[in-house]
Amino acid sequence: MRYPTGVKLFWECCEWLHALTLKTRKELNVRLLRSKYNEVEKERLTYAKQIRHSTATARKILHRLIHLLKKLIGYWDWLCKEPANAIALTAEQ
């Protein structure tokens, strides 16, 4: 059984949106947004490997994930608002 904590939910959102923007960016030949996705991924992995999570580390990783998610959402909005970009999403997306 898997318990849906806030960190897990935010990380899944960031991971899904990052993959979607990478795929869309490659199709449209647009430059990649500079984000700290890899650094946040490493930090989240070290957090996940810990047996006990302190409140301070949970708050810190949650704050970084929320900031990354806001940045990815802004980038996705920018990709969708470009007039030359015609983005068609599948039903699964």
Side-chain angles (χ1 to χ4, degrees):
M1 173 161 233
R2 183 172 169 264
Y3 296 103
T5 62
V7 173
K8 289 178 189 175
L9 293 174
F10 275 113
W11 175 247
E12 288 174 0
C13 292
C14 289
E15 196 175 31
W16 179 80
L17 195 55
H18 182 70
L20 185 64
T21 53
L22 280 179
K23 182 179 174 235
T24 307
R25 177 204 64 86
K26 197 175 275 188
E27 291 173 358
L28 299 174
N29 286 334
V30 180
R31 76 175 187 88
L32 182 62
L33 171 75
R34 287 194 288 173
S35 68
K36 301 209 179 225
Y37 180 81
N38 293 332
E39 289 85 3
V40 173
E41 182 180 22
K42 287 178 188 175
E43 188 176 336
R44 194 225 31 109
L45 188 61
T46 57
Y47 172 82
K49 287 181 180 179
Q50 291 175 351
I51 294 172
R52 293 181 186 255
H53 308 295
S54 69
T55 308
T57 56
R59 190 178 311 124
K60 180 182 174 185
I61 190 70
L62 223 96
H63 179 72
R64 289 201 68 185
L65 286 169
I66 290 171
H67 181 69
L68 178 65
L69 188 61
K70 284 181 184 178
K71 193 164 192 174
L72 288 172
I73 288 172
Y75 183 58
W76 178 252
D77 286 343
W78 178 80
L79 278 176
C80 291
K81 287 181 183 175
E82 286 293 309
N85 302 342
I87 299 173
L89 297 176
T90 63
E92 181 182 317
Q93 295 170 336

